[in-house]
Amino acid sequence: MTTVPNGPLPARTPGAAGPPAPVGREELLARLESVLHARGRALLTGPAGVGKTEVALAAAARAEARGETVLWLAALPADRAIPGAAAAALVASVASTVAWPGPRAAETIPRAGERLAGEDVPGTITTAPGGPAPAADALPAGVFASGVFDDLPGPQRTAVAMLCREAPIQQGGWDPIALRLGIARILRALTSRGPVLLVVDGAEFLDPDSTDLLRFALHLAPPSLRVIAVETPEPYGDTHRADTPEPGNGAAGHPGRSGAGHSAHLWVPSEADLLLVPPLQADEIAELLIHHRLPSRMAGRIHRASGGNPRLALAVGRSLADARTPVHHAEALTLSGRARDLARQLLGAAPPPVRATLLLAALALRPSATLVRRAGRPNAEADLAAAERAGLVSLAEDGSLVFTAGLLPSTLVHDACWAERSAGHAALAEVVDDPVEAVRHRALASDRPDEELAAEVAAAAETARRRGNNALAAELALLAAESTPGRDGVRRIARLVDAAEEAARAARADLAMRATTDLLARDASPTDRVRARLAVLDTAGQGLTDLDDMYVHAMEDSEGETALRAAVQLRLAVKYVLADGDPERSRTAAMESAALAASVGDPRTAAQALTVQARMERALGSPDAEPVLARARELELAERPLGIRNAAQILTIRHALFDDRLVDARDELNGLLPLVQRRGSVEDAIELFRTLSEIESRIGACGAALAHAGQSLALTLEAGLSPGPAWYALALAETAGGSLGRAASYARRSVQASEEEGDRVFLSRSRYALGRVQLINGDVAAALETLRRVQTDERAQSTVDPSMLRWHEELAEALLAHDAVEDALAVLAEVRPVAGRLGRSTVLLGCDRAQALCLAAEGRTDEAAELLTGTASRFAEAGLPLEQGRALMALARVERKRRRRSAAQTALHTAATVFERAGAAPWLALATEAPAGELPGAAPGGDETATALASLTEAELRLARLVGQGASNQEAAAKLFLSVKTVEARLTRIYQKLDVRSRAQLATALRP
């Protein structure tokens, strides 16, 4: 895997650390380099496809960037049976390195972006500073033409020539001692030219003779030769080596000698130099998919299917991307083609007894070694231990196990014949200790519908529901329906409806779709069809765009059924705002739903519809928002809904957040959260954690905001829902208290996911989060473009209330930084009357901050300073410390323009104290930077230079400071999270404002 999705890596500047690490591997790469520095040897190990080669490639690229010589040796499976194959390839590598140095080395080692991410692709590669080694017949007069072997004594030279087949192999073979000493001498000679990094990829494929030769040579090598070995463990024994000759035993060209057995390791590894490459986390899988331009909205489900294995994840992602029609959240993942084949490769290496044991484990609901042994696998513990070494399962101390990737048990069951599956379920039904599980296995062991069995399964589903195991209840409910005889159509349809609704309660979109698809193929009543379709809609998350047919048919079938029509209108109200971006139409549908529900005495649906209506009234700036919400709360108290995702109490908290009544919002939410975690759905918990994170980002509890945004994302990915909203919350939290670089990354991910889902609401929000980060980072052009799109989106959605998304003040500052003062003032003039009419006092404070900067730009610095001083105080009174600190930073900028150096420093110091208390790391870093535009005490040019410096924007000052200290354009771009093109354009403006023509003159202008 790689963080570079396309094309070559960016050019490196002298002294740079090299290319970025593969996705999710920065910490591992740092550990690898630390181990190499301390011990000189490192063994990268892990299951196939986990990305070991990519980590080694990144380490090699960084070594090459430091000017080290890099040798890359990749062994192939066929090399095991060819004595000396790897050693000969190494000699050829050294020869090619010396034969074509300097300009002829057009390519370096394979860069991280030049391979399929996560794939440990075999193939002998030789490089550094030269490129891949040419074929042997391309070498002038053989490898010895390089001259690197000229200093070898005669016997050693002869032995090496025989190894490389550049001299006839004598009857007695080569001299083994001479060959060992020759290889060792070659490596020592190479290290005399400078540090050398040797990477041996596929160490498990080395032939025995080469392993012996390299082990001896490395033992004698100086410390300047460092080695990375990349190895995939062989969990089922070295059976493939049975026909591989021991070193010197009967191999052509080798003198006969007795061997003590072959060890694949080039040295005896210790815990200190052994590095396990772990699977990626779900969020890292999402980033990996984005870098490869694959759909990221199903990152959670792809992570479960792949177990975090990058190769499997990319295969599943490509299966989804190549699907003829987009795969919806409510549909099963496409696990065919490449993805299924990779799973078969991983499973295919297992001996038949291990596969049989794994099949039983895949069929069990709670697999364990004991259960599988009792079900007929007497060697279960040994089989599962071997599977664990292969990275297929993970065993706990109590013997319970889980498959490392969901694709593995799926493939085992998929590829097993019916007789195998039936026998397995029948065996498990006899030994499980839970009657619910026993009924499940008996049902799955039978392929004949049976009403008696179906009734037992339905009762088991009810038992699972009472236990709180909604996922199992949903599975059993569907199994009960599928076990019902077809001749009893009415009962089967009723059970399919129950299964769909049970799946909706469990957020099992796949089961809801299965049940609904089966029901719609039968002669079901319109009422049953509507109920099943509503279950699918309720599990769709953000992905409502591709379900238009569901809505159309639900409306048709609900004709004449008032209660059902109210339920359908409620779902339409949600769709109109999320997918269509039409709050007025959403409000109309919600009002109709509430009226219909009230007419048939359905307070639950009425409360939910009024909640949606109140949300739309708020967005449209209507004064009816709070009265409507109050009516919803009254109904909710009388009849609490099963789910509270759109409940009135949640919206009440959201309104308090919009109004910056943050303490009240947090207190009410903290009282509700435990209830939701015990009784609510996972979507309820996700929304509450996300809302809590947004509250804490505003209130200045930055550490808690990051933690709760992370919980929202973890639950989202685990549930297989679109991560767009959770990434939005993380972008806000990272902007407040984490890293601006990560904030921009999360915002971009949220934009992509929302675009994939067609979610207009969160698309606008995520663009706002991205534009805000870009503005803070000083990337004015990008921020202006992004925030302009937010303006367009919000106007298209007829959003009136400015407190719901505070883009106006950010856009005004971006325009001001772009020297468009009149446009900035126009934006503020447009929003102020609306905010005043609606009583959005903190929105007006944000406008005051931007207004003050406009005053300063017009030269009215005294008025600007007075306005900012008052704004900072009022933000503090409102309990918004980050906004207070931001106003103080703006005040410092204005005070510098007024040439009040002491006042500017006081404002910055106060801002830093506020940020430090809130844990706002990125803002603290901005406030504590040495102000580039401080007025120099005795700068050349006097007042003229001071005035010019004061004309620079804050972003320009930061860049000027970096460049004046000697940073290159690339280094400044990396530090400020900008593109090189943006840095170049901004430098041009700085040069023009300061009337300088070189970096040296710029440094002089900045010197106090």
Side-chain angles (χ1 to χ4, degrees), residues 569-570 572-574 576 585-595 605-606 608-614 616:
Q569 286 287 0
L570 174 61
L572 278 171
V574 175
Y576 290 149
R585 194 177 183 190
S586 175
R587 176 175 62 179
T588 301
M591 293 172 65
E592 183 175 348
S593 174
T605 300
Q608 292 176 319
L610 288 171
T611 301
V612 176
Q613 181 188 344
M616 298 305 101

Side-chain angles (χ1 to χ4, degrees), residues 272-296:
D273 52 30
L274 191 149
L275 298 175
L276 176 66
V277 181
L280 295 178
Q281 299 299 316
D283 193 37
E284 294 166 339
I285 288 294
E287 185 178 355
L288 177 70
L289 294 170
I290 289 174
H291 279 301
H292 286 267
R293 301 184 183 278
L294 295 173
S296 64

Side-chain angles (χ1 to χ4, degrees), residues 461-790:
E462 180 61 31
T463 301
R465 184 183 305 114
R466 288 197 304 269
R467 292 176 179 176
N469 192 340
N470 292 334
L472 179 57
E475 180 189 350
L476 291 172
L478 181 57
L479 186 56
E482 293 174 341
S483 300
T484 304
R487 63 178 178 272
D488 193 352
V490 174
R491 184 170 295 170
R492 183 177 180 113
I493 288 172
R495 284 174 175 160
L496 285 171
V497 173
D498 290 342
E501 293 180 338
E502 197 68 58
R505 282 190 286 272
R508 285 294 305 272
D510 54 337
L511 298 183
M513 181 62 86
R514 272 179 56 188
T516 301
T517 301
D518 190 349
L519 181 141
L520 294 177
R522 301 179 183 276
D523 189 19
S525 68
T527 297
D528 290 335
R529 292 198 298 268
V530 173
R531 290 173 61 191
R533 287 187 170 109
L534 291 180
V536 172
L537 295 175
D538 288 344
T539 60
Q542 283 183 286
L544 302 176
T545 304
D546 300 324
L547 295 175
D548 287 345
D549 287 346
M550 285 280 181
Y551 291 101
V552 171
H553 292 304
M555 285 292 289
E556 292 175 353
D557 287 338
S558 65
E559 185 70 34
E561 293 287 341
T562 304
L564 288 176
R565 176 57 64 94
V568 175
Q569 286 287 0
L570 174 61
R571 273 69 174 190
L572 278 171
V574 175
K575 174 187 180 293
Y576 290 149
V577 65
L578 284 182
D580 300 343
D582 191 340
E584 292 184 353
R585 194 177 183 190
S586 175
R587 176 175 62 179
T588 301
M591 293 172 65
E592 183 175 348
S593 174
L596 291 171
S599 70
V600 294
D602 182 358
R604 180 179 304 164
T605 300
Q608 292 176 319
L610 288 171
T611 301
V612 176
Q613 181 188 344
R615 190 189 303 268
M616 298 305 101
E617 300 284 10
R618 173 88 187 208
L620 294 169
S622 169
D624 295 334
E626 297 307 320
V628 171
L629 183 55
R631 288 168 52 202
R633 289 296 299 268
E634 291 175 6
L635 289 173
E636 189 172 274
L637 290 175
E639 181 67 31
R640 283 194 172 273
L642 290 175
I644 56 174
R645 184 168 189 262
N646 290 317
Q649 56 264 48
I650 292 288
L651 186 58
T652 301
I653 295 171
R654 297 289 301 176
H655 282 193
L657 167 63
F658 298 150
D659 293 337
D660 281 326
R661 293 182 283 110
L662 301 175
V663 175
D664 294 342
R666 184 170 61 177
D667 290 346
E668 186 169 354
L669 195 153
N670 283 330
L672 182 62
L673 184 57
L675 173 65
V676 170
Q677 290 178 303
R678 287 196 307 270
R679 302 176 186 174
S681 69
V682 66
E683 290 187 327
D684 301 337
I686 289 170
E687 182 169 5
L688 285 177
F689 277 123
R690 178 174 58 79
T691 300
L692 185 55
S693 175
E694 291 183 49
I695 292 170
E696 288 162 339
S697 294
R698 291 284 291 171
I699 210 169
C702 297
L706 285 166
H708 288 130
Q711 287 178 282
S712 174
L713 178 63
L715 289 173
T716 297
L717 295 175
E718 183 180 347
L721 301 173
S722 174
W727 279 336
Y728 164 72
L730 264 170
L732 296 182
E734 289 285 352
T735 303
S739 156
L740 294 178
R742 288 195 299 270
S745 174
Y746 282 126
R748 289 190 179 94
R749 294 189 210 176
S750 183
V751 169
Q752 177 171 328
S754 299
E755 286 177 335
E756 291 172 2
E757 296 287 8
D759 185 337
R760 301 281 294 277
V761 171
F762 272 96
L763 178 59
S764 185
R765 292 181 185 181
S766 54
R767 281 177 176 160
Y768 158 76
L770 177 59
R772 188 164 177 257
V773 175
Q774 290 169 331
L775 180 62
I776 296 167
N777 272 332
D779 193 353
V780 175
L784 188 57
E785 179 183 357
T786 303
L787 293 169
R788 282 286 199 194
R789 298 185 73 176
V790 175

Side-chain angles (χ1 to χ4, degrees), residues 271-482:
E271 289 298 324
D273 52 30
L274 191 149
L275 298 175
L276 176 66
V277 181
L280 295 178
Q281 299 299 316
D283 193 37
E284 294 166 339
I285 288 294
E287 185 178 355
L288 177 70
L289 294 170
I290 289 174
H291 279 301
H292 286 267
R293 301 184 183 278
L294 295 173
S296 64
R297 61 193 176 95
M298 293 190 179
R301 297 180 67 186
I302 293 174
H303 179 262
R304 289 203 303 272
S306 65
N309 184 296
R311 187 188 298 175
L312 282 178
L314 289 174
V316 175
R318 289 191 174 96
S319 295
L320 297 179
D322 294 341
R324 293 183 178 179
T325 57
V327 178
H328 189 267
H329 282 295
E331 298 174 347
L333 290 182
T334 304
L335 299 179
S336 57
R338 175 68 171 161
R340 192 71 80 182
D341 289 342
L342 285 175
R344 292 188 181 109
Q345 289 176 19
L346 294 174
L347 294 166
V354 175
R355 283 181 62 92
T357 298
L358 289 175
L359 176 59
L360 269 182
L363 296 173
L365 197 60
R366 293 179 297 140
S368 68
T370 301
L371 178 65
V372 174
R373 173 166 36 79
R374 291 174 179 171
R377 302 301 305 169
N379 297 322
E381 282 81 2
D383 292 341
L384 293 174
E388 184 178 40
R389 291 193 298 272
L392 303 179
V393 300
S394 177
L395 288 168
E397 290 185 4
D398 62 358
S400 62
L401 68 96
V402 294
F403 283 87
T404 55
L407 190 53
L408 298 176
S410 167
T411 300
L412 281 165
V413 175
H414 179 274
D415 290 352
C417 67
W418 160 250
E420 291 175 316
R421 297 198 303 271
S422 177
H425 282 299
L428 289 167
E430 296 296 326
V431 296
V432 293
D433 57 4
D434 181 1
V436 171
E437 293 182 32
V439 170
R440 172 182 177 270
H441 285 300
R442 287 197 293 111
L444 292 171
S446 174
D447 63 345
R448 294 183 179 181
D450 183 332
E451 174 53 34
E452 182 178 350
L453 180 59
E456 288 187 66
V457 178
E462 180 61 31
T463 301
R465 184 183 305 114
R466 288 197 304 269
R467 292 176 179 176
N469 192 340
N470 292 334
L472 179 57
E475 180 189 350
L476 291 172
L478 181 57
L479 186 56
E482 293 174 341

Side-chain angles (χ1 to χ4, degrees), residues 63 66-70 129 190-197 223-226:
R66 293 190 296 266
E68 299 181 20
T69 297
V70 178
L190 191 61
T191 57
S192 67
R193 301 158 53 94
V196 176
L197 175 65
S224 56
L225 174 64
R226 300 178 302 152

